[in-house]
Amino acid sequence: MMSSFRAVFRKEMLHLRRNKAVAYLAVMMPLMQMTMYGFIDQTVHDEPTIVVDQDRSVESRLLIDRLRATKTFAIKKIIEDPREARTEIIAGRVGVGIVIPPNFHDARSRGTPAKMLVLIDGSDNIVASGALAAVNGIVSNQNLQALTRDVHGGLPLAAQPIILFNPEGRTANFIIPGLVAVILQMIAIMLAAGSIVREREQGTMEQLLVTPVNRSA
């Protein structure tokens, strides 16, 4: 068995030595794929966000600064009407809406739980999960700091998320359209390769070469 393996291995190495193109392809293709796939980053950055600040207080501005500091949210507008936030998400202009209620500062001052509403476009499950995780991170950090100061003080901040689209988080909603494009591309390559091989086998390759079309056609 080892002798057969060594014979086949030697034969393949001789083939690679004689055919530099195959050796180049065998080395460069994995490197190119690793480089391309290495740039695929599913971390959510600069998601278009609209903030509904109904409180207009120091606490609400601090919360907006914390949202910016996460690098997850790119705040496009700060408004006062919650209906406009929902309209912007439905229109697809933003993916996240943060609604800060008018009693936010008073609740934080009294030490009672302050709630904020988080509207998320769930059509892209990865973006929705990243945005929700960033908001939960801010809430957890604030609550942890409050508990460090006063163990019996309770949790001063809470977020109520609402997924407007795809609340179940089904990944098939955006994976299947991508698979359709990949499958169609693979089929087109296979059909083109099969056509060229068939022309070569039938001896009509010259007719294909003299076809009055260029590469762009």
Side-chain angles (χ1 to χ4, degrees), residues 3 5 11 15 28 56 67 87 107 128 137-138 150 157 170 176 181 184 188 197 208-209 211 216:
S3 60
F5 173 78
K11 174 256 184 185
H15 177 68
M28 292 304 299
R56 297 288 179 175
L67 291 171
T87 301
I138 294 176
D150 184 7
L157 187 59
R170 297 181 67 251
I176 290 180
L184 289 177
V197 172
L208 182 63
L209 295 176
T211 303
S216 61

Side-chain angles (χ1 to χ4, degrees), residues 87-147:
T87 301
E88 291 289 311
I89 294 176
I90 293 175
R93 288 186 284 268
V94 297
V96 180
I98 309 293
V99 181
I100 304 174
N103 61 343
F104 188 78
H105 176 76
D106 296 337
R108 295 298 301 271
S109 300
R110 293 192 302 266
T112 57
K115 295 183 179 181
M116 62 177 176
L117 181 65
V118 183
L119 304 175
I120 300 177
D121 180 5
S123 56
D124 190 336
N125 188 38
I126 296 176
V127 174
S129 300
L132 186 57
V135 172
N136 289 333
I138 294 176
V139 172
S140 299
N141 186 39
Q142 292 297 302
N143 291 336
L144 182 60
Q145 293 179 7
L147 290 174

Side-chain angles (χ1 to χ4, degrees), residues 6 14 18 35 50 83 94 105 112 116 130 143 152 169 179 204:
R6 285 193 295 268
L14 290 174
R18 295 170 182 172
T35 303
I50 188 169
R83 293 174 296 182
V94 297
H105 176 76
T112 57
M116 62 177 176
N143 291 336
H152 305 287
L179 286 176
T204 56

Side-chain angles (χ1 to χ4, degrees), residues 32-41:
M32 292 177 60
Q33 290 178 353
M34 289 179 61
T35 303
M36 293 174 60
Y37 292 148
F39 283 105
I40 298 177
D41 186 8

